[in-house]
Amino acid sequence: MAMDSSSAEAVFECDCFRLYSDGHVERTGGMDTVPAGFDAAMGVTSKDVVIDAATGLAARLYLPAIQTAAPLPSESDDGSATTKLPVLVIFHGGYFVVGSPGNHNFHGYVNSLVAGARVVAVSVDYRLAPEHPLPAAYDDALAALTWAVSGADPWLADHGDLGRVFVAGASAGANIAHSTAVAASASASHHATPALAPRVEGVILLHPSFCGEHRLEDEVEEFWQANKKRWAVIFPGATDGLDDPRINPMAAAGEPGLAKLAGKRLFVSTASEDPRAPRGRAYCEAVRASGWPGKMEWFETEGEGHCFFVSDHVSREAVALMDRVLAFVAGHS
């Protein structure tokens, strides 16, 4: 049944949803989907799986054409060569409010990424706010990573190198990927939960969505104000509001998390025309200052806006960014 929005204030709106102060949402876009299956152009097969029926957590898995592709050697525990592929756990964007792995643009992007990087991908269908306020999406993300490294699905067990995992995301999904990489370092290791941090080789943050209680000097006032209102509705229990470390890793409370980020390597991309870019740059500076021991790479696309590469996979700028991501996964960056 539709909710009456006549008495509620619209605190955030864009071309795909309108979010109200009373905690409900009208979605007008971003929820279109395409089915999983075989992408003949990319040679990638995908399927939908349920991870946790109790919460509704699901994922779309992707497998490249491993029978005809040249093997990717990696080292197993005994030092012998294997042909198993890296595992990529990836999170879609959409303000934490819209989107899914089946979104036609994001599905196409992941297909091209899987084909180029030759990875087994787990595209996570996390619960959306405001019906499931944060931290539901963060909880789902860590649960999905834990599930992936356990090899619960035959595609992962048979073809994935479960000791070589990448955590990635775009926009809000990049925010989730960061928090998941931090949580992976803190995860307990016991018989029921695989140790996560040693398995995470790299973290890929594409146009990450961060914010904070205090506006940065080069941050657009209107954009900052709108995101502050949105955050209050989708995560009403956030510690310290916009200085909760999950949305503001640069806050004092978030600094220890940066130093403990799982993975040996970090790739962060921004775009010069994206209002989120100032926070992305500040994040990179904070990681460097935190004492994190890994290797970080930052790449900014000039003249492009937020997540342009998701809707346009073949532009010169999108291809250039994809090349950097592929090199990062291959370890050539």
Side-chain angles (χ1 to χ4, degrees):
M1 182 175 66
M3 298 185 67
D4 180 13
S5 61
S6 60
S7 61
E9 175 194 5
V11 297
F12 189 98
E13 55 185 307
C14 59
D15 58 357
C16 56
F17 71 90
R18 182 178 292 110
L19 185 65
Y20 290 91
S21 57
D22 64 359
H24 80 277
V25 64
E26 292 176 358
R27 294 182 175 91
T28 56
M31 301 304 292
D32 58 310
T33 60
V34 294
F38 179 64
D39 185 317
M42 294 293 164
V44 173
T45 304
S46 59
K47 66 177 180 179
D48 294 327
V49 300
V50 175
I51 296 175
D52 186 344
T55 62
L57 174 59
R60 179 165 290 188
L61 271 57
Y62 295 78
L63 190 68
I66 59 173
Q67 290 82 3
T68 58
L72 259 183
S74 62
E75 294 300 317
S76 64
D77 291 341
D78 61 5
S80 61
T82 73
T83 56
K84 290 195 172 184
L85 306 175
V87 173
L88 176 76
V89 179
I90 188 167
F91 307 99
H92 66 83
Y95 302 86
F96 304 96
V97 176
V98 298
S100 73
N103 172 270
H104 74 285
N105 284 331
F106 194 72
H107 174 72
Y109 176 76
V110 176
N111 265 330
S112 61
L113 178 56
V114 167
R118 297 202 60 247
V119 296
V120 183
V122 179
S123 184
V124 181
D125 195 5
Y126 56 86
R127 287 171 290 174
L128 299 176
E131 294 90 345
H132 302 282
L134 295 172
Y138 296 123
D139 294 342
D140 287 351
L142 186 61
L145 175 61
T146 303
W147 176 87
V149 303
S150 74
D153 186 90
W155 283 12
L156 293 163
D158 296 343
H159 304 295
D161 183 346
L162 303 179
R164 189 175 179 222
V165 178
F166 290 84
V167 178
S171 189
N175 173 290
I176 293 171
H178 160 78
S179 290
T180 304
V182 172
S185 290
S187 65
S189 176
H190 55 77
H191 69 281
T193 304
L196 298 180
R199 299 168 183 261
V200 177
E201 178 174 327
V203 179
I204 302 169
L205 307 183
L206 306 173
H207 299 192
S209 180
F210 297 124
C211 203
E213 282 292 329
H214 302 286
R215 185 177 66 86
L216 299 180
E217 184 177 353
D218 51 352
E219 199 168 23
V220 178
E221 171 78 24
E222 183 180 3
F223 180 79
W224 173 76
Q225 289 284 2
N227 277 286
K228 188 171 184 177
K229 293 179 179 179
R230 175 177 61 96
W231 184 252
V233 175
I234 67 174
F235 198 172
T239 303
D240 299 322
L242 271 177
D243 280 344
D244 184 288
R246 285 162 287 198
I247 190 66
N248 185 9
M250 292 77 78
E255 289 176 2
L258 292 175
K260 296 177 182 177
L261 191 74
K264 308 178 186 74
R265 296 183 291 127
L266 171 66
F267 178 86
V268 182
S269 73
T270 53
S272 65
E273 302 307 307
D274 183 0
R276 298 159 188 80
R279 292 280 172 178
R281 299 179 197 122
Y283 173 85
C284 293
E285 294 172 1
V287 170
R288 289 192 181 99
S290 72
W292 180 66
K295 178 183 177 183
M296 187 182 70
E297 179 183 352
W298 169 65
F299 177 73
E300 181 158 300
T301 303
E302 292 296 329
E304 292 290 348
H306 186 59
C307 285
F308 69 93
F309 55 89
V310 175
S311 59
D312 184 1
H313 307 156
V314 299
S315 70
R316 181 181 64 180
E317 292 77 10
V319 170
L321 176 56
M322 178 65 81
D323 287 345
R324 298 293 288 263
V325 172
L326 299 184
F328 179 83
V329 173
H332 298 154
S333 58

